């Protein structure tokens, strides 16, 4: 019964994430006005706006104009709902602090999923989301982390990719990493510390190269078109922060091979 409640709660938050993903890059308010169809602009009624359910019920089309609704909407809602269940503390440990951690990590996930899909479509990582993440991490760091570790992690996360991008720009005359990517690395460095952020830099570049090369070889993209880099940073950071146990196990497994 509680799982159902948390799932619904997560799906509603996912629905709000969809609003952020659609409106923030278009510089619209996330609070006002109510959602409307992007094709015919008709206001979406509450019963047409139930997370996941409405998409299935409407067959992925607007009830009024039959315009296509992106599958991205139910995917974001479903992923957020599943993450809420995964992150929710065991019932026997249910107390104020576990609930604060739950809220903290669920907030991080929502920022991550917004960054992921906004960068994929618009090739930007909005400053507003980076600032929100920065505030969350600094509050966490003040209570939980060693001062040197989080400050050095943040500085390294910002300045290392910044220098690499400068060198790359001097050599090639084009931007490899965007400003949003560099700011995101800096913010993540606060939570991850110097070692964790270097691992993210290495792994996200590695992952980005593999996916980028695959897309070029299979002629899905032209090699002169830059691919958004944020999604790779986000995927690695999701493993590091939200699946840290699995991440550590996987890392030590890979390391033991050398
Ligand atoms: Zn419509």
């Amino acid at each position: 019964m509680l799982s159902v409640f948390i799932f619904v709660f997560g799906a509603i938050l996912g629905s709000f994430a969809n609003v952020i993903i659609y409106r923030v890059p278009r510089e619209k308010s996330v609070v006002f006005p109510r959602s409307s169809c992007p094709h015919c602009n008709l206001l979406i009624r509450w019963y047409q706006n139930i997370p996941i359910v409405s998409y299935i019920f409407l067959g992925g089309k607007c009830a009024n104009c039959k315009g296509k609704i992106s599958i991205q909407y139910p995917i974001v809602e479903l992923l957020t709902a599943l993450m809420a269940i995964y992150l929710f503390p065991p019932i026997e440990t249910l107390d104020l602090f576990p609930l604060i951690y739950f809220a903290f990590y669920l907030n991080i996930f929502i920022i991550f999923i917004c960054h992921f899909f906004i960068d994929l479509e618009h090739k930007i990582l909005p400053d507003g989301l980076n600032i929100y993440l920065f505030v969350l991490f600094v509050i966490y760091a003040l209570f939980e982390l060693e001062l040197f570790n989080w400050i050095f992690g943040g500085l390294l996360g910002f300045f290392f990719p910044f220098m690499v991008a400068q060198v790359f720009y001097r050599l090639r005359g084009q931007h490899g990493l965007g400003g949003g990517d560099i700011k995101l690395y800096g913010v993540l460095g606060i939570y991850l510390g110097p070692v964790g952020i270097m691992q993210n830099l290495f792994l996200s570049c590695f992952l980005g190269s593999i996916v980028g090369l695959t897309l070029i070889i299979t002629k899905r993209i032209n090699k002169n078109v830059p691919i958004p880099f944020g999604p790779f940073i986000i995927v690695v950071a999701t493993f590091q922060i939200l699946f840290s146990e699995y991440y550590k196990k996987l890392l030590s497994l890979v390391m033991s091979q050398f």
Side-chain angles (χ1 to χ4, degrees):
M1 188 59 214
L2 185 66
S3 304
V4 175
F5 180 74
I6 297 160
F7 186 89
V8 171
F9 173 69
I12 292 168
L13 289 179
S15 181
F16 182 62
N18 279 324
V19 175
I20 297 174
I21 292 167
Y22 185 80
R23 293 189 188 176
V24 168
R26 292 173 174 83
E27 292 179 356
K28 292 180 182 172
S29 160
V30 294
V31 194
F32 209 75
R34 281 181 46 214
S35 298
S36 58
C37 169
H39 307 290
C40 67
N41 282 323
L42 195 79
L43 272 186
I44 296 168
R45 295 178 187 285
W46 68 267
Y47 56 84
Q48 295 163 344
N49 208 5
I50 302 164
I52 308 166
V53 179
S54 290
Y55 182 87
I56 299 166
F57 193 69
L58 294 168
K61 291 184 194 114
C62 167
N64 181 49
C65 71
K66 305 290 170 203
K68 200 173 176 295
I69 304 167
S70 170
I71 185 106
Q72 192 179 303
Y73 290 94
I75 287 175
V76 168
E77 286 156 0
L78 185 65
L79 287 177
T80 313
L82 292 175
M83 186 54 79
I85 289 189
Y86 165 76
L87 290 173
F88 199 77
I91 202 85
E92 58 275 13
T93 65
L94 207 54
D95 202 349
L96 182 62
F97 281 107
L99 281 177
I100 291 173
Y101 283 107
F102 168 71
F104 172 70
Y105 286 109
L106 197 56
N107 263 279
I108 290 171
F109 179 76
I110 289 166
I111 299 294
F112 279 6
I113 204 166
C114 292
H115 257 342
F116 184 97
F117 285 108
I118 292 173
D119 199 23
L120 213 55
E121 188 182 343
H122 303 273
K123 299 190 170 68
I124 52 162
L125 296 164
D127 278 339
L129 295 181
N130 277 336
I131 291 167
Y132 184 68
L133 202 58
F134 174 83
V135 172
L136 277 181
F137 282 161
V138 169
I139 294 170
Y140 175 85
L142 287 172
F143 286 99
E144 298 273 336
L145 302 175
E146 211 181 304
L147 190 69
F148 171 80
N149 230 38
W150 70 264
I151 291 189
F152 185 51
L155 292 174
L156 188 69
F158 183 80
F159 284 106
F160 185 77
F162 179 75
M163 303 291 253
V164 172
Q166 289 293 317
V167 171
F168 189 81
Y169 186 69
R170 295 273 151 78
L171 292 175
R172 300 276 305 270
Q174 62 190 50
H175 290 286
L177 275 176
D181 299 318
I182 296 170
K183 287 176 213 163
L184 180 60
Y185 276 130
V187 173
L188 289 171
I190 296 170
Y191 183 95
L192 294 171
V195 177
I197 195 62
M198 289 310 284
Q199 289 174 350
N200 187 307
L201 273 156
F202 176 79
L203 292 171
S204 55
C205 289
F206 183 67
L207 197 64
S209 321
I210 292 175
V211 173
L213 278 174
T214 311
L215 291 174
I216 290 167
I217 290 166
T218 57
K219 297 198 162 61
R220 300 281 296 273
I221 55 163
N222 184 298
K223 71 175 187 323
N224 296 317
V225 179
I227 55 167
F229 200 69
F232 303 109
I233 307 173
I234 293 297
V235 167
V236 176
T238 302
F239 272 94
Q240 288 181 298
I241 297 172
L242 299 168
F243 298 96
S244 58
E245 293 300 309
Y246 301 98
Y247 173 76
K248 280 174 201 152
K249 271 184 202 159
L250 197 66
L251 200 68
S252 60
L253 194 74
V254 172
M255 288 308 194
S256 66
Q257 302 300 309
F258 296 102

